[in-house]
Amino acid sequence: MNADIRVVNEFLESILQHPKTPDELRCNDTFYKWDESLPYSSDFYAAEVEKDPNKDFVILNFADIQCHDGEAFSQVGEFYEETIDKLIKKVQPDLITMTGDNAFDPMAYIRLIRFIDSYNIPWAPVMGNADHTGLVSEFWADYQLAESKNCLFDYGPTGMGDGNYIVNITENGKIIHTLFMMDSHHEDEKIDGKYDHFHADQMAWYKWAVEGIKAEEGKVVPSSVFMHIPVPEYQNAWDSIYNKETGELAPEYRDREFCKVHEKMGPPDENNGFFDLAKELGSTKYMICGHDHKNCFDIDYEGITLIYGMKTGYGCYWERETNGGTTLTIGSDGLAKIGHHYIDPKESKVKKFMLEYYGVNLYDEGNVVHTGN
């Protein structure tokens, strides 16, 4: 039986046997009830990945793979798998993360999960605004992730979306860096046609965890927030380094190969105050998002490095010049170096006509603004 037939069979089995809602599970190992009065415990509320004291800890992020069922079983799927394989072999990650819009449709989701899981590397995804598209239910996707052998995905607190969870990187038993994996939701119910973001209860949960980890370790622990939709401050950060009149970047950014905004940013219209909260708490040093496929940068802004992860593969739309992934390389001090790793489509072994055809942006060009590099 070939691999594609196995994926189809797994999908059919998931329809018949896997739960579609939390109530259909026979155990309580899904969403947990939370309020601010609960005592924080990393043993209970966080996954843990141990760092080798003798080397840096490498996180490799994939952004917006986003294939439909039909595409995942075509050259589009072959190409993203080839890109991922090259990235993993190149950077040798200790942890893989995914910043949402991972796949459309159920068989594409199962294929992607099985492919990532096959590397036997811990991995931690968040949901994007399109991850529910074409699925049995969004909880169905949660369940596929949570049941995967190497996936650290956790359902998180009830009522806050799908997959708000914590991953602690430890060294010699001490937490040196925390990853907050957070669901930025879909479209905003209050503003038609606009994107949503973190809600007040998520922000309270984040504050509770930051302060709880501080109490456990006796100090503020550096952290990163992984999300799909950017906070509005991403635009502020870009405006602080990009001169619209001259079209030039600030001197310290001019030599960076990947520092560009080639499409309009898609943050929510309403600023939820999360960036200001992160600054106030002093833990989060890095925020990384996906969502806008043609943007790629890491900009230091008001004490936090804001990162657009490099898009992985062709799915949905792309730019050939930024195909690959992004790394956070964490030292024993818990601080990270950011890298964007390009995988050249011209070197692909996937058939040549795919590379020629899939250079076309399938979206309306009117939505794209070309600025910067």
Side-chain angles (χ1 to χ4, degrees):
M1 186 185 296
N2 65 42
D4 290 349
I5 295 299
R6 282 200 298 269
V7 169
V8 173
N9 283 345
E10 286 191 49
F11 163 65
L12 294 175
E13 181 183 342
S14 78
I15 297 295
L16 297 173
Q17 298 181 14
H18 293 184
K20 303 172 187 64
T21 70
D23 293 338
E24 292 177 13
L25 270 185
R26 295 177 181 176
C27 64
N28 295 318
D29 192 19
T30 57
F31 299 93
Y32 59 84
K33 292 182 179 179
W34 175 87
D35 67 63
E36 295 172 81
S37 68
L38 290 170
Y40 175 83
S41 167
S42 288
D43 290 339
F44 186 77
Y45 290 106
E48 180 180 307
V49 183
E50 181 74 9
K51 174 188 174 296
D52 183 340
N54 298 313
K55 67 183 187 73
D56 290 339
F57 187 94
V58 179
I59 300 170
L60 171 60
N61 188 74
F62 305 136
D64 298 87
I65 297 168
Q66 209 165 355
C67 281
H68 293 279
D69 276 352
E71 291 177 327
F73 294 86
S74 72
Q75 291 177 78
V76 181
E78 289 180 46
F79 182 63
Y80 87 66
E81 289 181 355
E82 179 189 56
T83 297
I84 285 173
D85 187 66
K86 288 181 177 180
L87 285 165
I88 289 174
K89 289 175 179 175
K90 177 182 178 181
V91 308
Q92 296 290 301
D94 299 290
L95 174 68
I96 293 168
T97 56
M98 298 165 66
T99 43
D101 281 10
N102 306 309
F104 298 117
D105 303 329
M107 285 186 287
Y109 229 94
I110 290 174
R111 182 181 176 107
L112 174 63
I113 289 170
R114 298 299 174 263
F115 180 70
I116 300 295
D117 219 40
S118 70
Y119 285 93
N120 290 316
I121 298 169
W123 59 290
V126 297
M127 293 296 195
N129 63 288
D131 274 289
H132 64 297
T133 305
L135 298 184
V136 179
S137 70
E138 193 155 4
F139 177 73
W140 175 92
D142 298 346
Y143 187 80
Q144 309 309 312
L145 293 166
E147 291 296 303
S148 296
K149 177 184 175 183
N150 300 297
C151 189
L152 303 178
F153 178 90
D154 188 76
Y155 301 93
T158 187
M160 291 189 191
D162 292 79
N164 295 279
Y165 61 105
I166 300 163
V167 179
N168 285 327
I169 299 169
T170 60
E171 181 176 306
N172 296 321
K174 294 290 186 179
I175 302 169
I176 63 165
H177 193 97
T178 297
L179 279 57
F180 291 98
M181 317 302 292
M182 298 182 69
D183 181 11
S184 55
H185 305 287
H186 314 142
E187 283 66 41
D188 193 331
E189 295 179 359
K190 297 177 290 184
I191 308 174
D192 186 45
K194 301 297 182 181
Y195 292 110
D196 202 348
H197 209 266
F198 303 148
H199 298 173
D201 53 1
Q202 289 174 281
M203 293 168 61
W205 171 83
Y206 163 81
K207 179 180 180 182
W208 167 82
V210 167
E211 292 178 341
I213 294 168
K214 176 183 177 181
E216 285 186 342
E217 295 298 317
K219 64 178 182 178
V220 176
V221 174
S223 66
S224 301
V225 174
F226 287 73
M227 56 195 169
H228 180 66
I229 298 171
V231 294
E233 283 79 7
Y234 270 70
Q235 185 67 59
N236 299 344
W238 178 252
D239 292 341
S240 74
I241 70 160
Y242 176 68
N243 188 318
K244 293 180 181 179
E245 294 182 1
T246 65
E248 292 185 343
L249 297 172
E252 62 269 32
Y253 290 91
R254 289 174 190 169
D255 293 333
R256 297 194 186 186
E257 186 176 3
F258 301 107
C259 188
K260 68 175 190 176
V261 171
H262 281 185
E263 73 175 297
K264 185 178 180 181
M265 295 186 194
D269 280 4
E270 182 177 322
N271 193 323
N272 60 8
F274 181 75
F275 183 85
D276 287 339
L277 174 63
K279 283 200 307 178
E280 175 189 335
L281 295 174
S283 167
T284 294
K285 307 300 181 186
Y286 315 94
M287 293 184 182
I288 179 167
C289 74
H291 191 50
D292 300 314
H293 301 187
K294 295 187 176 185
N295 299 339
C296 181
F297 64 54
D298 55 285
I299 298 174
D300 302 325
Y301 183 70
E302 297 187 1
I304 297 175
T305 301
L306 299 180
I307 307 160
Y308 262 118
M310 185 177 286
K311 179 172 166 30
T312 308
Y314 164 73
C316 193
Y317 70 99
W318 74 334
E319 279 191 344
R320 297 180 191 220
E321 296 78 16
T322 44
N323 170 63
T326 295
T327 53
L328 284 76
T329 302
I330 298 172
S332 295
D333 60 359
L335 300 179
K337 296 178 181 177
I338 313 303
H340 302 286
H341 302 270
Y342 178 59
I343 301 299
D344 191 346
K346 293 179 182 177
E347 298 176 1
S348 173
K349 294 181 180 179
V350 181
K351 291 181 181 178
K352 184 178 179 182
F353 80 83
M354 190 284 297
L355 298 179
E356 294 173 348
Y357 175 75
Y358 290 132
V360 178
N361 177 12
L362 301 184
Y363 279 41
D364 180 2
E365 286 293 330
N367 293 331
V368 179
V369 290
H370 294 278
T371 58
N373 288 357

